[in-house]
Amino acid sequence: MIALAGKTALWFAFLFAFLQGVLPILGSLVVARKLKFRRCEEIKVSSLRGTCAACDEAIQTTSTWIASSHAAHVPRNDETLISSQRQNVIYAYLSAVARPAALGQFICIIIAYLLLTIAFVTNDFSIIYVATNSHPALPLMYRLAGVWGGHEGSILLWIVMLNIWTMAFLYTVRPEERTQCASRRVDDSTRSLTLAIFGLINFCFLAFLIFTSNPFLTAAQPLIPQDLNPLLQDPGLVIHPPMLYAGYVGFSAAFAITLAALLQNQLNTAWAKRTRLFAIAAWCFLTLGITLGSWWAYRVLGWGGFWFWDPVENASLLPWLSGTALIHTLILAEKRQIAVRWAVFLAIVTFALSLLGTFLVRSGILISSHTFANDPARGVFLLILLGLLLFISLIIFLWRLPHITSSPVSFSFLSRETGLLMNSGLLFTAMLTVLLGTLYPLIFDALHLGAISVGPPYFNQVMFPLALITLIIMMIGPLCAWQKQSAKLIWQQSAKKIAISFVVAFILIFSITQHFNLAAILIMTLSFCVITNVISFLKLQPGMTLAHTGFAILLIGILLSSTLNQERNVRIHPGSSVTLGPYQFIFLDTQSVIGPNYRGIRAAFDVIKNTHHVINLYPEKRIYTVREMIMTKVDIHPGIFRDLYIALGQPLNETDWSVRIYYKPFVRWIWFGGLLMMLGGILSITRGKT
């Protein structure tokens, strides 16, 4: 019963997506063909009236416009009026169909998602997807999270998020009411066209879900449950994927708004502001999702790191970099009416990168703990969708390129405009660098040229100079005025701060590492300068201040945790101890543990510092009984300035164990910086609305 209802809900959602995104365009062409006439007031509407409510509304709108033009005695040209009335009917039709279809689709998708959730909660193992990703012994929290723990459910979650963003656009962006009907028609038409673009994207992904990845497929008889992947049985899974998807899909709003404005030649200040707010909202979710993903990897994978430049990790970083560049460029488009073409291009590229990330994770071409699918055939649809989207969008962009104008504003090299443009360009360059390192091994393998690996050394080396230049721009940019800024004045404002920051960074790095590390000193000096320069803008621009401060704190956390990190991989038995940093770890004993769907061994460690007890840590080695999969459950003692991290390895004999112990200073600053950036984005949205 649940499976049948779920399939029905998906098919109704598919129908509504067709009405929202496909039928309005086809119907518009049909209506336009029926409105071939010489004079506007000679429209023969008898054949259309009564066809449907949408046509009636469109005809009524047309008749009202004609009557008002008569009353005002507006001179008319036949061809101009014919074109104008065609557009009027087309967009009234779009408006009448797209809005209720979007609402109907949203309701159906939510029903389908709730039905799949009920199937997981009630252990309906007649549904193949539920049996593959759940088990009666699985805790309820993980059964709820298991809805998106596999390929089919993750695509459904993608569509849920897309519908939520569609509703956010529908109910937050209202058509402006003006005195002239033509102005109201233009604003409302752009809004309706945006909804139609949302509908087209929904239609494509619903087709992918229904025809290749339907989560409601059933078996002839109930299947043996296979449990959720043990890697995903963590509280981080409950939060991380929805936040990441909300960020991925959120850039569809910036894309749809921009594409509609591009088609309507409405790339004005209102478009830039509206797009920027939606882009910042998506960026906030993506920032939170990436931060949570790093935290999840640190806690679950057992290797003590926070970022490994995994291809799937990079897939989430790509739209983040491009989206950050887009936000900075939209500031220029909104405040100075410049770089409009660059902003449009970035909006297209950012959403394309979101789809690329979806393709990399869902296609099965990558082997990673973050991937869900093992069937590359499923990825063909996503690859075709990505190619068509990028091709059509770029064709429209090139077609409308001559009509995209910017204000003839002149500005000097040392100005806020230059800072924003350079920052945007650097972020885009960083994105291309990561994209090359991520896709190059895949392309090399696809051409049968052999297998190569691009790992952390490449990314660390190429990203360091880009991060250094970005910090310099972030340090100087906020101090610059629009159009022109005096270099002497900036030096007077910054010289003392730079000197103090350098001295503090030098003393801190040298006292900790006992040697001169120029790269570390430069990064820390610039990070301190960024914080001290933007702190004066806290009242005027709190969003920018917190976001830039968060980025600087994140880099400080990465630098210090990488520089000061200590680790030991030791052979140890109960009663013995290991010293790491200022801490002594005493191995007490081991005992058996039994969980709801696993069994294992728990070790007990007493942590001592200067003869004082600090805490007891209990790392585990678990075997998840259904999949017979061995997992390491680390135990961490967190702190503001350091983490103590223990991972239990393999038993070496009856008493000895292999244990990895980490002393990780300042690692929490990385995630604190990410959260601070997200908070800065939220403040920017709230202040932007006011």
Side-chain angles (χ1 to χ4, degrees):
M1 183 63 72
I2 292 178
L4 179 60
K7 291 178 183 177
T8 304
L10 288 180
W11 275 106
F12 270 103
F14 186 67
L15 174 62
F16 281 123
F18 180 80
L19 293 174
Q20 179 189 346
V22 180
L23 187 60
I25 297 175
L26 299 178
S28 300
L29 297 175
V30 173
V31 172
R33 289 178 61 85
K34 290 189 176 183
L35 293 178
K36 291 182 178 180
F37 49 86
R38 286 192 173 185
R39 298 186 61 84
C40 184
E41 53 268 55
E42 296 175 0
I43 302 175
K44 296 182 180 180
V45 299
S46 58
S47 61
L48 294 177
R49 192 179 300 279
T51 305
C52 66
C55 290
D56 289 346
E57 182 178 338
I59 293 166
Q60 182 62 36
T61 304
T62 304
S63 303
T64 303
W65 192 91
I66 295 171
S68 64
S69 67
H70 275 295
H73 301 287
V74 179
R76 300 181 302 276
N77 174 273
D78 287 352
E79 295 301 323
T80 302
L81 282 176
I82 289 172
S83 176
S84 176
Q85 289 304 302
R86 283 179 180 175
Q87 291 182 7
N88 200 39
V89 171
I90 287 170
Y91 294 120
Y93 188 87
L94 273 170
S95 178
V97 173
R99 297 175 199 171
L103 183 60
Q105 182 189 172
F106 173 75
I107 293 173
C108 290
I109 287 297
I110 294 300
I111 290 174
Y113 183 82
L114 291 176
L115 287 171
L116 188 59
T117 303
I118 292 171
F120 269 85
V121 172
T122 59
N123 296 317
D124 188 351
F125 298 127
S126 63
I127 299 176
I128 298 174
Y129 177 72
V130 177
T132 306
N133 295 278
S134 186
H135 192 273
L138 190 66
L140 178 61
M141 177 176 66
Y142 299 137
R143 270 186 275 167
L144 294 174
V147 175
W148 57 75
H151 170 75
E152 293 84 354
S154 65
I155 295 298
L156 180 58
L157 178 65
W158 209 101
I159 297 172
V160 168
M161 291 299 175
L162 184 56
N163 277 268
I164 291 175
W165 281 106
T166 304
M167 290 296 104
F169 173 82
L170 182 61
Y171 289 102
T172 58
V173 179
R174 300 286 185 179
E176 298 180 7
E177 294 297 331
R178 301 179 180 176
T179 55
Q180 297 183 2
C181 181
S183 297
R184 184 171 69 248
R185 176 181 57 78
V186 170
D187 293 334
D188 191 55
S189 65
T190 304
R191 181 170 177 261
S192 300
L193 187 57
T194 304
L195 286 176
I197 295 171
F198 271 119
L200 282 172
I201 300 172
N202 263 309
F203 179 80
C204 293
F205 271 89
L206 277 167
F208 177 53
L209 181 70
I210 292 174
F211 297 113
T212 70
S213 308
N214 197 322
F216 292 102
L217 295 180
T218 57
Q221 57 185 0
L223 302 174
I224 299 174
Q226 300 178 25
D227 204 2
L228 182 66
N229 186 343
L231 279 173
L232 306 180
Q233 296 185 34
D234 182 81
L237 178 72
V238 180
I239 314 171
H240 164 56
M243 296 299 102
L244 193 67
Y245 276 37
Y248 268 154
V249 184
F251 284 112
S252 66
F255 168 78
I257 295 169
T258 298
L259 197 62
L262 181 64
L263 290 169
Q264 291 296 299
N265 197 26
Q266 295 293 318
L267 297 171
N268 48 30
T269 302
W271 155 78
K273 181 176 182 179
R274 183 163 54 245
T275 307
R276 183 171 64 87
L277 291 177
F278 275 94
I280 292 175
W283 180 87
C284 288
F285 281 113
L286 189 57
T287 302
L288 179 59
I290 293 174
T291 302
L292 290 172
S294 172
W295 175 70
W296 170 83
Y298 174 74
R299 293 175 60 254
V300 172
L301 299 184
W303 60 284
F306 54 86
W307 193 267
F308 194 64
W309 295 106
D310 181 277
V312 178
E313 293 175 336
N314 296 346
S316 63
L317 186 61
L318 292 171
W320 187 90
L321 291 168
S322 180
T324 309
L326 171 64
I327 292 168
H328 287 80
T329 308
L330 286 170
I331 295 174
L332 289 170
E334 179 186 348
K335 305 295 183 184
R336 308 297 292 168
Q337 292 77 53
I338 59 176
V340 176
R341 295 176 179 178
W342 180 232
V344 172
F345 177 74
L346 284 175
I348 295 172
V349 169
T350 302
F351 183 57
L353 290 172
S354 297
L355 290 181
L356 176 64
T358 305
F359 164 72
L360 292 175
V361 177
R362 307 292 169 257
S363 63
I365 65 173
L366 296 177
I367 304 300
S368 169
S369 60
H370 303 271
T371 54
F372 293 95
N374 294 316
D375 183 8
R378 289 175 169 177
V380 174
F381 180 93
L382 291 174
L383 188 61
I384 293 174
L385 175 61
L386 173 62
L388 285 176
L389 170 75
L390 197 57
F391 177 76
I392 295 173
S393 301
L394 290 177
I395 289 296
I396 295 174
F397 173 66
L398 294 174
W399 169 50
R400 302 296 298 174
L401 191 61
H403 303 282
I404 304 176
T405 58
S406 298
S407 297
V409 177
S410 60
F411 51 90
S412 66
F413 177 77
L414 195 59
S415 64
R416 185 166 295 185
E417 289 92 337
T418 301
L420 288 170
L421 282 173
M422 290 183 65
N423 202 2
S424 174
L426 282 169
L427 288 166
F428 191 76
T429 303
M431 182 276 294
L432 292 177
T433 301
V434 177
L435 182 66
L436 176 65
T438 303
L439 295 185
Y440 188 75
L442 300 179
I443 297 173
F444 209 75
D445 182 62
L447 296 176
H448 303 289
L449 298 176
I452 62 171
S453 175
V454 178
Y458 161 79
F459 292 104
N460 293 335
Q461 290 178 9
V462 298
M463 293 299 285
F464 173 77
L466 293 175
L468 202 65
I469 300 173
T470 301
L471 282 173
I472 294 174
I473 297 175
M474 290 174 63
M475 178 184 67
I476 299 175
L479 301 179
C480 293
W482 295 109
Q483 292 189 301
K484 187 176 182 179
Q485 179 64 46
S486 168
K488 182 179 179 180
L489 181 60
I490 289 182
W491 176 250
Q492 291 174 350
Q493 292 175 327
S494 304
K496 186 180 294 185
K497 297 176 182 177
I498 293 174
I500 295 174
S501 298
F502 178 81
V503 171
V504 172
F506 177 82
I507 294 174
L508 185 62
I509 295 296
F510 187 79
S511 62
I512 293 174
T513 62
Q514 301 301 317
H515 66 274
F516 182 78
N517 189 330
L518 179 60
I521 292 173
L522 285 177
I523 290 290
M524 183 162 288
T525 299
L526 292 174
S527 298
F528 286 159
C529 289
V530 168
I531 296 173
T532 55
N533 280 349
V534 300
I535 203 69
S536 59
F537 294 90
L538 184 59
K539 290 185 178 180
L540 183 63
Q541 293 177 297
M544 181 270 289
T545 301
L546 290 182
H548 284 204
T549 301
F551 183 74
I553 290 175
L554 182 144
L555 289 182
I556 292 174
I558 292 175
L559 174 66
L560 292 180
S561 65
S562 302
T563 304
L564 307 179
N565 176 66
Q566 298 182 41
E567 62 180 87
R568 292 190 64 180
N569 195 345
V570 298
R571 178 174 183 151
I572 194 171
H573 58 82
S576 59
S577 64
V578 177
T579 300
L580 187 63
Y583 296 92
Q584 184 181 16
F585 299 82
I586 302 174
F587 188 11
L588 301 179
D589 58 15
T590 59
Q591 60 181 359
S592 299
V593 294
I594 298 178
N597 60 339
Y598 65 86
R599 67 181 186 275
I601 299 293
R602 174 184 297 163
F605 285 82
D606 186 14
V607 182
I608 296 175
K609 181 180 181 182
N610 298 327
T611 70
H612 296 291
H613 171 76
V614 177
I615 196 174
N616 286 336
L617 294 178
Y618 301 95
E620 298 179 7
K621 181 66 70 174
R622 295 178 177 178
I623 300 178
Y624 285 83
T625 53
V626 177
R627 296 199 178 197
E628 290 297 324
M629 183 173 177
I630 300 175
M631 286 287 299
T632 298
K633 181 66 174 177
V634 305
D635 199 9
I636 303 171
H637 182 230
I640 298 176
F641 299 104
R642 61 97 186 103
D643 270 17
L644 303 178
Y645 184 110
I646 300 182
L648 188 63
Q650 298 297 326
L652 302 177
N653 54 39
E654 294 182 356
T655 59
D656 290 5
W657 285 80
S658 172
V659 176
R660 294 190 305 277
I661 304 175
Y662 298 87
Y663 171 62
K664 306 188 73 65
F666 297 96
V667 69
R668 299 273 155 180
W669 288 35
I670 299 171
W671 305 308
F672 176 70
L675 295 177
L676 206 58
M677 284 194 290
M678 181 200 67
L679 181 59
I682 294 173
L683 287 178
S684 297
I685 295 173
T686 56
R687 288 182 65 88
K689 288 184 177 180
T690 57

